[in-house]
Amino acid sequence: MAGPDRLPNGFPDDEGADDFVREFRQAVSPAERDMLAHTPPLVILDVAGEAAEYDSRVRRLIGALEQALRGQQDVKLVPYAIPTADDGSELLSGAAARGLALGVPKHMTPDRLPGFWPLWDSVGYIREHAGERRAPGAEVLRDHAHAQMRTHRQLRREGRLQVFFWALGGSESPPVGGIRGWLLGSLWQGLTRTFPRWCWERRKSRRLVRAPRLLRPSRQRWLGGMLGMSGDAETLFAVMDEVADRQMSRLVLPPDHPRHQESLFALEALLTRALLEDLKKPAVGSVRPLQRRRTARPVLLVPLPREERPGAEAVERFLHSFHQERKNTAQAAGPLVIAVGVPSRKLLESLGNPARSSLTSAGRLLHQSGSDVVLVRLREEPFTREGLFIRPTSPTTYRVGGRTMTAGVAGGTALALGLLGVGGAALLGPVTSHSGSCVAGDMPVAGSRYSQPVPLHPKQWYDETRAKIDAQNRQAEHFAAQGKTVRTVVAFTSNGPTSETDTLFDGTIPELRGIAMWQQKLNKDAVSDDSRVRLRVKVVTTGKGFENAEQEARKLVDQVKRGRPGKDGKDAKDAKDYEEVIGVLGFAQSKETTRNALDILEQAELPVIGTTATADEMLVSANYWPFTPLNSTEAHIEANFATGFPIMARAAGGCEPAKAAVVIQSSADLYSKSLADRFREHFRGKAQLVNFSQEGDFTGAPAGTPQIRSAHDLAETVCDALSGTDPTVVYWSARARDFVAFVNALDTQGTCTHRDITMLGGNELTNVVLTGEFNDKDWLRLYYSAHRLPAGDAAADEKTKQFVSRYDAFVTGPPKDDPWRDDGHSAVSYDAFHVLSRAADMALSGQGGVDPNAMLTALKSGISFDGATGYISYDQGSNMPPRDKTLVILRQSEQGSKVALGCGAYRQGKAGHTQAAACDVR
């Protein structure tokens, strides 16, 4: 106990304090630098107590956290700041920036804030001269900001030589009179004043407002986008002069006037966004010495004054701005912000009224990018006794200065390049994918991985997978009997296969395997983790090709409305807790029936996580979260790929991009028509549309386009189109069964297979391609999309390789006998189930209940993790597919699947390894 003359000290030893302290130190200076790529949540530690105790408790918490950020020599170990405000008119972002700039740890890369300081100085000038009511002009703002940069450089303790050269730009004319003085003055002003400031302004404008046209397609920078700038000629200070036009008349209003407060918030939001942009973490894994020296995360410890205190409004304005603007920099890790105090109701509302969390949960969420705001209310009792001492963090340190190391590396590199000379340059090989070589190899499909088509055992494989799900369900029910929380999710699938051809054209088996694998992992993890919700899986078959999806959806809605669906027809009152349905997985195909089923399911207010359904038209429910990129994204990437990469074989050897396309669609199929329409929209060349349906259903076919029922007739039509001089790709958006019929008809007819035919299709084709169905087609050059990298690819993440290893252990028989080891369907359903499971964990209440509405809230708050299919990151407040979701285009070759193009994030902070302009479809 503390003595009578000394107040208790240390971090309050509340429940879960050990976990939070440990995770806090790891979040600030992680052992693995890759962990800096996570975006930590805004943490609010709510202290209890009366006004007399309030300030001491805030100081105690801030002091306890700060002691972990300073060493025994009382110097900063990591860049951090404790920004405070004396009155409500202050802009706290300035205090935060100054704090981060002071006392930078020795030899650690500093945050120079090159974009923040010019904006800060411009805003300061605007506020100071608001009484003039007229915008000062771009040149005045530029000269003021330029003059202030000397102060900022001295603040960072840069070398005297740098400050001297910077000072030249602010020098006046030399003291010489007459004509000679005028001439010297003009020259002096031009060299030391006008020209340096012009160059500086241009550089800042390129970084903040708008880049040159040569840098398309992302010419507009964050400031230009935030303020809606459209003109190419607008400079940074011209933009800030427009800000002055809007804000100066409001800033002269009384401080309590609503428009004055709106102006302060607009300026704080602008500056906070600039601060966040500048605090973006350098690329993890960079070889540049200065970038590798960011080994710790910047930290802002923000004391929250009592609501009636001066400065409270400024602090809450900053936290609101931080919360708002961080959404616009979601791909950047940024700083860790921890606010300490009692947040007002107004602040909580502006932050989306976050639910209360425990210290244990808050510590765990520090390493996850999915959480937005974490609110922890500390109890009274721990403040009455001694708390925990937080040991100082231990980031990687360096004995040699960064510039010294950079100079050494640069010198060594120059020497090596000089020795290599021209021969060394030749060893580097081509630097562009647009050489004459064909993308992902020159060989056709024939001779691929399987010398003979894989023997298929569909009923056996299906029954084995269903049996494993049933076994996992029984294990979950056993947990429920022990008092553990267990709930049910429904997986809507098509009917199980009854023949080998069913297996070729339907992804049911690999998708169910992925679901069973996640359920197996969940049950295993839940043995030692009480925060996990065990999940039973109720597999609901909906007929061939999901033809009965609407009827099954209505049944589920009726059951949910009546209460928990009873088991074996029992009434809801007799049902077990574990039979309560809290979510849905599906659907695997985009069809009219599945779209209507989603519309029906919205009445049940259950979260629905999609799997491989990709049509934009499926977005009919606010409770539906697609998992894979939409057709609009996929088709755009494929169109860019076809016209920008050498995929078409030339008679003289090598390949060239496509200049024309034959687009095959089934107009009555929602998926097919959606994909075909969007491909034709983005294809940069002539695209001929052909409608194909063996059932004769041509609903929605555009007038004047061919309508073909026979695969033989389709082969003739395509051969005619390929007879032209332009290199023409066949784009296939129809179903896999029709594709097999078409390829076989082309091979049988043989009129145009004397030369290679390049075909490009969607994920629908993977099931049949990987079975070796086309091994004897030596004329077929096949590219198709998929949703994860093959395990053997050099860029595949450890999570992908880990999944494949588990898949090999899960599937009976040798891996070489399984056709879908490199297919994405199982990995997609595995990760989709992970999303639903994560939402259930987040919705688990202290009493053991799981409210589906709480799961919807969890999904809307954003969920992120590294998964089998790459980095999964759902944006907050949106039910669009995960941002930067992995999409790859594969080439089927004699060695199996080869990556031709990789788009999206295959793990956090790492984009596709063949990332190119084709992937940028914003």
Side-chain angles (χ1 to χ4, degrees), residues 225-236:
M226 181 179 182
L227 300 180
M229 300 295 108
S230 58
D232 288 351
E234 286 181 297
T235 66
L236 167 62

Side-chain angles (χ1 to χ4, degrees), residues 24-286:
F24 169 72
R25 295 179 70 253
Q26 283 295 314
V28 173
S29 55
E32 296 294 334
R33 190 167 176 267
D34 288 8
M35 297 300 290
L36 292 175
H38 292 300
T39 306
L42 167 60
V43 179
I44 301 178
L45 299 179
D46 185 351
V47 300
E50 299 298 329
E53 303 169 327
Y54 185 92
D55 292 340
S56 63
R57 292 185 177 186
V58 171
R59 285 195 301 270
R60 175 177 171 178
L61 269 172
I62 293 289
L65 294 172
E66 186 185 13
Q67 72 182 1
L69 309 178
R70 302 188 75 90
Q72 295 180 353
Q73 304 300 321
D74 199 31
V75 295
K76 286 186 177 181
L77 297 173
V78 303
Y80 77 91
I82 305 177
T84 59
D86 293 329
D87 62 70
S89 65
E90 291 190 39
L91 300 178
L92 207 68
S93 51
R98 286 191 296 271
L100 292 174
L102 288 170
V104 177
K106 187 177 181 181
H107 297 330
M108 185 180 288
T109 300
D111 294 302
R112 301 190 182 280
L113 310 182
F116 175 84
W117 290 122
L119 294 183
W120 170 258
D121 295 327
S122 299
V123 168
Y125 189 93
I126 291 169
R127 296 187 68 191
E128 184 179 348
H129 295 80
E132 299 174 7
R133 298 179 180 270
R134 292 186 60 185
E139 187 173 344
V140 172
L141 289 174
R142 182 198 67 186
D143 291 348
H144 173 75
H146 188 274
Q148 293 298 313
M149 286 305 294
R150 181 179 182 183
T151 303
H152 301 314
R153 287 173 176 258
Q154 289 172 331
L155 181 68
R156 296 198 303 262
R157 297 182 179 179
E158 295 191 354
R160 293 181 179 179
L161 190 61
Q162 288 179 292
V163 176
F164 167 74
F165 279 116
W166 185 265
L168 285 179
S171 299
E172 300 296 337
S173 301
V176 181
I179 298 296
R180 180 169 171 266
W182 178 82
L183 290 173
L184 282 175
S186 299
L187 180 62
W188 181 264
Q189 288 277 10
L191 289 177
T192 68
R193 188 177 181 88
T194 306
F195 183 68
R197 295 182 185 206
W198 178 82
C199 291
W200 180 69
E201 180 181 33
R202 294 274 295 179
R203 185 170 69 252
K204 295 298 180 183
S205 298
R206 285 197 302 269
R207 291 180 176 177
L208 274 70
V209 182
R210 184 170 289 273
R213 289 180 179 274
L214 292 177
L215 298 182
R216 281 184 176 175
S218 56
R219 290 187 300 141
Q220 194 175 64
R221 301 308 193 196
W222 72 263
L223 182 61
M226 181 179 182
L227 300 180
M229 300 295 108
S230 58
D232 288 351
E234 286 181 297
T235 66
L236 167 62
F237 296 103
V239 170
M240 292 308 296
D241 197 48
E242 292 187 33
V243 172
D245 274 331
R246 292 194 296 272
Q247 304 300 343
M248 291 179 77
S249 60
R250 300 169 182 169
L251 290 170
V252 296
L253 295 171
D256 58 348
H257 195 285
R259 299 298 282 171
H260 182 96
Q261 292 299 318
E262 289 175 17
S263 179
L264 290 179
F265 180 80
L267 295 176
E268 185 71 280
L270 175 66
L271 294 170
T272 303
R273 175 68 181 278
L275 186 63
L276 290 174
E277 292 286 343
D278 282 346
L279 290 177
K280 284 184 176 180
K281 176 192 59 59
V284 172
S286 171

Side-chain angles (χ1 to χ4, degrees), residues 402-429:
R403 291 188 181 86
T404 303
M405 182 63 71
T406 301
V409 172
T413 303
L415 178 62
L417 290 176
L419 293 174
L420 281 173
V422 177
L427 291 175
L428 295 176

Side-chain angles (χ1 to χ4, degrees), residues 585-619:
L585 283 170
F587 294 87
Q589 293 182 358
S590 304
K591 296 192 171 186
E592 293 286 349
T593 55
T594 54
R595 180 177 64 176
N596 295 340
L598 288 176
D599 200 14
I600 294 168
L601 284 174
E602 187 167 23
Q603 303 172 39
E605 296 184 351
L606 295 172
V608 182
I609 308 298
T611 52
T612 53
T614 56
D616 297 62
E617 291 79 1
M618 296 288 284
L619 291 169

